[in-house]
Amino acid sequence: MSIGGRLAVQVALHRPERIASVITLDPAHTFAPLSWKMLVASLGSVLPGMPEGLRNRLLGWISGGIDNASEHIEGRLIASGMRDFKVSFPVPALPGADELRSIGVPVLALIAGKSIVHDAGKAAARARTLRDSTVEIWPEASHAINGEYPERLAERVHAFLDGVHEHRQG
């Protein structure tokens, strides 16, 4: 999910022997650059002294436009990731086309159609350049896709993993 999706793709690029497949949920800065909206929301939501009301509105924007983001599990999850996740190394560059094509494991990329993180169409188009990919845009989903569609997501991931298992058996 989000930054975790980016990290999973980095593992597929640099340590592919360690994984059998990759599942990304609206991965940030993986298949498309961050949008200006995401940069504004990110900075505004973590700056010290930011009024709580404005911080909640910015987090709500990332979480699909919900009111009072701190009252929703999706908003609290995104807020926690933005507040508590610390990157110790430089952020990897957006993978190039050749790098993406070099990934040899199956990838399921679910892109949120209403995400402000990136341009969903561009992200999906680049993800489709992977050799073994299943790429879907969920038009009504925001970056909080995991909280908005937990049952549908569980079914989709299960089906994908069943397909990976069957492919490895055959």
Side-chain angles (χ1 to χ4, degrees):
M1 175 70 214
S2 193
I3 294 171
R6 181 183 74 210
L7 296 174
V9 168
Q10 290 296 315
V11 172
L13 285 169
H14 301 288
R15 297 301 299 265
E17 73 280 2
R18 301 254 181 180
I19 57 173
S21 63
V22 172
I23 298 169
T24 66
L25 309 178
D26 207 41
H29 195 65
T30 304
F31 303 122
L34 295 177
S35 72
W36 68 266
K37 294 176 185 177
M38 184 60 185
L39 295 173
V40 168
S42 297
L43 287 174
S45 63
V46 298
L47 289 174
M50 179 67 62
E52 193 64 27
L54 183 53
R55 184 183 317 272
N56 261 333
R57 288 182 64 196
L58 291 170
L59 290 172
W61 194 22
I62 297 169
S63 307
I66 60 175
D67 291 329
N68 252 341
S70 64
E71 293 180 9
H72 298 270
I73 189 68
E74 297 90 347
R76 289 194 307 271
L77 176 66
I78 291 170
S80 175
M82 294 174 77
R83 180 186 61 242
D84 301 326
F85 182 77
K86 304 293 184 234
V87 178
S88 297
F89 297 99
V91 175
L94 195 68
D98 290 340
E99 286 180 297
L100 291 175
R101 282 191 295 275
S102 76
I103 294 175
V105 298
V107 176
L108 172 62
L110 302 179
I111 309 294
K114 291 186 176 178
S115 177
I116 69 159
V117 171
H118 47 227
D119 179 296
K122 288 179 182 178
R126 283 196 80 229
R128 288 186 179 108
T129 66
L130 295 161
R131 285 191 287 169
D132 187 2
S133 67
T134 302
V135 180
E136 299 172 9
I137 295 179
W138 290 16
E140 297 304 314
S142 76
H143 191 59
I145 187 172
N146 58 327
E148 293 169 332
Y149 300 98
E151 294 86 11
R152 180 178 171 199
L153 180 59
E155 291 171 8
R156 188 64 195 93
V157 167
H158 185 75
F160 173 75
L161 292 175
D162 282 350
V164 169
H165 180 72
E166 289 173 15
H167 179 73
R168 291 178 77 194
Q169 297 293 332

